[in-house]
Each structure stands twice: as C-alpha cells, then as structure tokens.
Amino acid sequence: MRTRRGAGAGAEADSHEVVLRVENLCVDFRVKGREVRILSDISFSLRRGETLGIIGESGCGKSMTALALLRMVPSPPGRITAGRVVLNGEDLVQVSERRIRGIRGGEMSMIFQEPMTSLNPVYTIGNQIAETIRRHKQVDKTAAWKEAVDLLDMVHIPAPERRVSEYPHQLSGGMRQRVMIAMALACEPTVLLADEPTTALDVTVQAQIFDLLNEIQDTRGTCIILITHDFGAVSEMADRVLVMYAGHKVEEGTLGEISDDPRHPYTRGLLRSMPEIVDDPADVRVRLPEIPGSVPDLLRGLEGCPFAPRCPSAMSQCRELPGYSRLGEHRSVKCWLESEGPGGHTTS
Ligand code: SF4
C-alpha cells in the first residue's frame, strides 16, 4: 500500500494553526414522537494543510458528520441539538442562513462519491463551474468562464479549452470527478470535504484522484476531510484518523498510531478485514475476517457501548457507555478496556 506521509506526519501538521474546531457536536432525529441521537458528542480539530480521515462502515455517522459541518442535516426530522463548528473563528452552528449559504462552496466545500448525480446533465461543465464562481465572486461571465478553463487545467483535464464546452455525459467517470474537484476548489475553500470521492471509480483512476487531492493540498494548503469506509484510502492521504461507530467517535490518532497500534476493538476489526499485499503466496488468507453482525439501527435507541453486541471483548461493564480515555496529545479511545474507572477520562 502506498502511503503519502506515513506515521509521523500528523506531528508536522500540529505546528500549524487550527482552522476548524468541532466541539461536542450532537445531531438528533425526531422519530415517532421521540428524539433519537444520531451523532453523539463529536469533537475534533483540523490544522492548516492537514488531512483528517473519518472512517467507519456505512451507517456509522460519517456522512451525517459532513452534513452537520455544513449545516445540511435533513430537517425535519434532523437537527443539530448541541455543539459548535468553529471555522476560522466563526461558529457555523450560529451564523445566519445567508452566511451559511456563502460558506457552503466558499470557505467549506464538498465533493461527493457519484459526480453524475451532482452535475446537471443539461448544462456544459463550463456553465456549471462558472455559475459556482459567480455565486461567490463578483466577476462577469467571461472572467468566470476563463477561470473555469484554468480550474480544469489545474485538475489536469486535457484540452481544457475544448472540454469546458462539453456536457457531463461526454466525460469519463474519472474526468467527471475531476470536474467536481475543480468546482469544489473554485472559491479556494479552507476545508474540502471529500465523501467517498473514489468509490465509483476503478483502482487506477482512484490512485490518480488521490494524487490530485494530495497535490492540491501541497500547493494550496487546503485542509481535507476524507470520509471513507476504506482504510486503504485513508492510508493514501490522511495525517490523522477518526474512527466512527454508531454516531460516536470511538478512536482518534495519527495514521501511524491507528494503523500500528489500534486500541478500540472496532478499529482492530476494521483493520483485520482489510486486504493486504503479501510477499509470500503462502501468507495469502483465503477469506478475510469480518466483524460479525451489523451496525445497529440508531433509530431503535441504544444503551451502553454501541459496539457491545459485536465486540469480542464485551464485559458486564459495557452495559454503560464508556467515556474517552486520552492516550496522547491527539490520541483518544472510547472503550472500557482503556479506561481506569467508570466514565473513563473524558476529553474533547
Ligand atoms: Fe468492547 Fe466494551 Fe470496549 Fe465497547 S466498551 S468496545 S463492548 S470492550
């Protein structure tokens, strides 16, 4: 597996200023007359030029976290019920509707896993990029069109002067994802949210998209939040990793800490279920171990540690929800196995 930065890279990024701080973010859904917690006390920070990988199975709350950061939780039935999302000193949970609309696609933008559902099939890609530019900047149509060509060139689309007049269906899947990245970068965001950006692409094109995102980060200093179920993708890009399960952050650390010394049983299960390249064919495992069971249905309500029904180390204490145990400056785990007593050491 390729790794861009390796184990110690998070420490390098630590010296940079914090641009995004998420504090105790909670999202509730109202279902059949009762409030159900979908995101529980999510906290993390992001420094300039850093990539945070948010990983977990489908339904763990990764995409909901991204929507909550942009205040796009589907409402009703959902709403942010507690916490702060502080971007460059401004709490996005509290700003006006008008201001948050300016932030979306401006200071914070998002690329989705399936570009065909995000691009409008009846407009040229040039029109769509130019429209995004004009929504956020005071420029005329000619200048916006020229900027669209420059952006296509920046994301390495060949013959951008010609491609800019084409429609989405005329481009390959990889090219369409490059267009989405160009659009997301149009207003030079501080934070780029990438929600499973390569899931719909073949392996070769996936690697090209990761290279492009890494290049953008190196040249522009953009912070990236990579949301994925694939630890291989995290290894390609992330400085730090946040593991989510059932709407909780269950472990956080640098890429090296998480991949070399996972502490939460869920993180261990995720890593064990990942294919690896081996030198000796005799080491090939016929079948990868799976985490037994499935992600719980949060709408049914949970008590205690949400991973308990699937956890090989579950004990009676796990009927209560553990707190966070801090294992290092940016390393924490939410599991009784790492706690010194009931409630653990709660950290942010
Ligand atoms: Fe397993 Fe208990 Fe830790 Fe939950 S708190 S992950 S059930 S050991």
Side-chain angles (χ1 to χ4, degrees), residues 10 26 29 31 44 51 73 88 103 116 168 185 191 194 220 243 253 317:
C26 296
F29 270 44
V31 183
F44 60 88
T51 296
V73 172
N88 294 323
I103 286 166
M116 213 44 192
L185 292 173
V191 177
R220 297 187 157 213
V243 184
Q317 199 174 9

Side-chain angles (χ1 to χ4, degrees), residues 36 72 109 154 167 200 204 273 285 288 291 325 339:
V36 179
M72 289 171 67
S109 58
M154 191 193 74
Y167 291 87
T204 317
S273 62
R285 288 175 287 177
L288 287 168
I291 305 174
S325 296
S339 172

Side-chain angles (χ1 to χ4, degrees), residues 157-273:
I157 289 189
E161 297 85 356
R162 177 168 57 82
R163 291 289 196 179
V164 74
S165 302
E166 292 185 346
Y167 291 87
H169 75 270
Q170 294 176 277
L171 304 178
S172 67
M175 288 291 172
R176 284 197 289 266
Q177 195 54 289
R178 284 172 191 269
V179 169
M180 290 306 300
I181 293 170
M183 250 158 125
L185 292 173
C187 297
E188 300 187 26
T190 309
V191 177
L192 180 64
L193 291 162
D195 188 1
E196 306 274 11
T198 61
T199 301
L201 305 174
D202 69 44
V203 178
T204 317
V205 182
Q206 281 183 15
Q208 292 167 2
I209 295 294
F210 287 133
D211 285 344
L212 174 62
L213 290 171
N214 281 327
E215 179 190 322
I216 286 162
Q217 189 181 55
D218 289 341
T219 53
R220 297 187 157 213
T222 312
C223 298
I224 298 177
I225 298 179
L226 174 68
I227 291 164
T228 181
H229 65 280
D230 175 10
F231 201 84
V234 163
S235 302
E236 294 278 349
M237 289 197 59
D239 298 304
R240 287 191 298 121
V241 182
L242 190 156
V243 184
M244 288 195 70
Y245 188 76
H248 294 260
K249 177 179 83 171
V250 296
E251 184 161 5
E252 184 180 9
T254 64
L255 175 61
E257 287 167 342
I258 298 291
S259 56
D260 297 345
D261 184 24
R263 296 292 186 89
H264 195 283
Y266 179 61
T267 314
R268 289 197 195 120
L270 273 184
L271 288 173
R272 266 201 303 273
S273 62

